[in-house]
Every structure is written in C-alpha cells, then in structure tokens.
Amino acid sequence: MSKQILPTGPDYLETPLRREGPDHDFFPWRDTWADNRLCWDGDTTLGIWIQVAVEWFPLNITGTPFLPIGAPNRPWPDSETYTQRDYGNRVGIFRMMDALSARGMTASTFLNARVAARYPALAREIAKEGWDVVAAGLDAGAIHHDGLDENTEQAMIAEALALLHAQGMPPVAWHSPSWSQSPRTPALLVDAGVKAMADWGNDEAPYQHMTASGPITSLPAAFELCDREIIANRQNALADFESAMIVAAQRLAREAAETGQHRLLTINLSPWIMGQPFRIAGFERILDAFAAIQGVKTVQVAEILAASQAAND
C-alpha cells in the first residue's frame, strides 16, 4: 500500500467556502426555537395540516429515476397493485371525508392532475368538501428529477396546472410526486406562477426559498409522518401509526404552551391505505385525539401562509 502524502503548504488550512450559516443560498439560517414563526388566529396554538394524497399510479410506470412508494412493481400488468391503489379513489377517500366532516375538520388534497381529469366525480366531491388543492404533478409516476431536460419539466408543470384549472380546481401550492425535485423545479414553479411548494422536509414552519426566478414559499413536507412510510414501507402496526400521530401532536402542543411560539404539525395520508375498513377507525381515533388537545385546529394552505405572514408583521 502506498503511503498517502498530505499537503503541507499554508493554503492547506484555508477554507474559502466556509462561512456562517448554510453552505447554499436557497434560504438563510434561522432560529426555529426562538423566532416567532407562526401566529394562528383566535385561541389556536397548534395547526394540524392533513395532506390527503389523491394519486393515480399508471400501470406502465418506468421506475425512472426510481419507483415511487406504492407503485405497481410486478411484471406488467400488475392488476393487483393497480386496483388496490384505485380503491382509494373509489372507496377509501369517502370514508376519510366522512370522518373529517363529522368532526368539523378539513384537509388539503395533494392531487395528481390526471386524477382530476380521469375522476371528475371525485374532483367534484373534493371541491364540495371544501378541501384546497395542492397540485401534485401529473401522476404518481411523473417524477421530477435531474435527468429531465428543462423544457420537458416545464411542460410537465404547465400541463398539470392546466388540467387542474380546466376542472375548476385552481391549486394553491405545488407538491412534486414522491417529494422529488430537479435542481430546476423551484425556479420553474416560480416561472409558472406557483407561490408555494411542499417538497422539503427540513422545517416545521414555512420559509422563503430563493430561486433564480424569485422566491417561493417552502411549506413543511411530511416524510416521516406518512402512512406510506410507516405502514406500507416500514410495515408498522396501525397502533404504532396512531401513537406516532398523537404523540407528535401532544408534544408540539406542549412546546407551544411552554415557549409561547405557535406550532404546525404536518401529516400525509393515502386513501388506499388509511381508507381501508380495517384502518378507518384508527384514523377516527387520531382525529378524536387531536380534537381533545387544547388549542388545536386543522388548517389549510391559506391559513398557514397567513399565520406565517402574521408572525413576521
């Protein structure tokens, strides 16, 4: 084995790229604990943002650059997986709607644009429930990644937004399928007139993400508190999933009380998982536990943005 020779000159200890704060210019460093990041109206101290992922998994998903969680992954046509996912849009979501409505709670739909076009009756029911719409790309398999050229990705974003507008469902924010972006995605969203995105899981409150085309608000994404991750991927028991949701809400409510700083809990749910008849009671128990916590309210995108603005005024 050859002996490694280390540099010894005076330049060796120089670190010209080292500086205070992050090693990028997307956003500045901030003190989440000491800074007032959110200010809810009234008696609310903890907002709970329920993201309901309403997706279409095409049978011919290529797996490029990766296979989305929940996608058909057996030899074509994987009818078992495809139809089970389709069950969520035909049956499961209505159980979730009923559970939320019965408790006076609301949610945001993270809606694949091709679902709105393929399931117009479902789109009408989502609008009837008063859920706001976060444009979740074209479909679950239309992944945004660095292998796309800029024109292709720009066209994907434009088509997704146009399909939702055509169904009378103007989106209030954007979510890239499987939380995947290319280095260009935020700037292309700004170019398309999108004001907020929910792809980054690095915070519990909104912040301004800078792009070459201008700023876009980054809303908290839910990687960990997601039924696809906990139940489908890790194969945890429903009781474990319930416990994770409830403990998270209780902890954030306690932090809000102790610090005087309002909090936001973000969870991501899929009707093909949580809308099953043997799981829906668990969802109902989670909602009841949320309702029992003082100062809790389910919120949507406009309220989150308003609470963030109020904290900075």
Side-chain angles (χ1 to χ4, degrees), residues 271-282:
W272 56 271
I273 298 176
M274 199 50 58
Q276 295 285 346
F278 61 94
R279 291 196 185 105
I280 193 64

Side-chain angles (χ1 to χ4, degrees), residues 24-260:
H24 57 73
D25 296 316
F26 295 137
F27 49 82
W29 183 88
R30 58 212 176 277
D31 187 344
T32 297
W33 296 103
D35 291 348
N36 189 17
R37 305 288 304 286
L38 291 163
C39 184
W40 303 110
D41 287 338
D43 297 329
T44 302
T45 56
L46 172 61
I48 296 184
W49 187 23
I50 300 175
Q51 307 168 345
V52 180
V54 183
E55 304 164 292
W56 174 50
F57 292 91
L59 275 170
N60 61 344
I61 287 179
T62 63
T64 302
F66 58 85
L67 197 64
I69 297 174
N73 58 6
R74 300 190 303 179
W76 188 92
D78 183 354
S79 58
E80 179 187 42
T81 304
Y82 179 89
T83 56
Q84 196 270 345
R85 297 341 180 220
D86 191 42
Y87 173 92
N89 295 337
R90 294 175 179 270
V91 182
I93 190 171
F94 297 103
R95 291 196 179 102
M96 298 182 72
M97 286 180 175
D98 289 345
L100 287 161
S101 179
R103 292 159 177 80
M105 295 180 173
T106 191
S108 296
T109 176
F110 277 39
L111 184 62
N112 287 162
R114 285 172 177 156
V115 171
R118 294 171 66 89
Y119 299 83
L122 174 56
R124 289 193 295 270
E125 288 299 317
I126 290 171
K128 184 178 177 181
E129 289 296 313
W131 293 4
D132 58 357
V133 175
V134 174
L138 285 168
D139 59 54
I143 302 298
H144 294 252
H145 59 96
D146 193 36
L148 295 174
D149 66 75
E150 184 171 339
N151 291 337
T152 298
E153 185 175 12
Q154 187 177 48
M156 290 168 63
I157 293 171
E159 183 182 355
L161 298 176
L163 285 172
L164 290 171
H165 279 283
Q167 293 298 322
M169 306 183 79
V172 294
W174 174 272
H175 168 70
S176 303
S178 285
W179 297 277
S180 177
Q181 292 187 347
S182 81
R184 299 169 295 277
T185 304
L188 292 175
L189 292 174
V190 174
D191 291 340
V194 177
K195 304 298 184 183
M197 63 181 186
D199 288 346
W200 288 44
N202 59 332
D203 213 319
E204 292 178 352
Y207 63 86
Q208 289 298 295
H209 181 108
M210 302 307 300
T211 80
S213 297
I216 185 170
T217 300
S218 182
L219 300 169
F223 299 155
E224 294 287 332
L225 291 179
C226 172
D227 54 7
R228 278 181 294 176
E229 176 64 21
I230 296 176
I231 294 176
N233 192 26
R234 300 182 189 174
Q235 299 185 347
N236 286 9
L238 178 61
D240 295 331
F241 180 75
E242 290 181 46
S243 177
M245 300 294 119
I246 295 168
V247 167
Q250 292 172 338
R251 176 56 184 251
L252 289 174
R254 191 177 79 208
E255 288 179 2
E258 292 175 348
T259 66

Side-chain angles (χ1 to χ4, degrees), residues 36-39 205-207 217 303-313:
N36 189 17
R37 305 288 304 286
L38 291 163
C39 184
Y207 63 86
T217 300
E303 294 168 285
I304 297 170
L305 296 176
S308 178
Q309 182 63 44
N312 292 304
D313 286 343

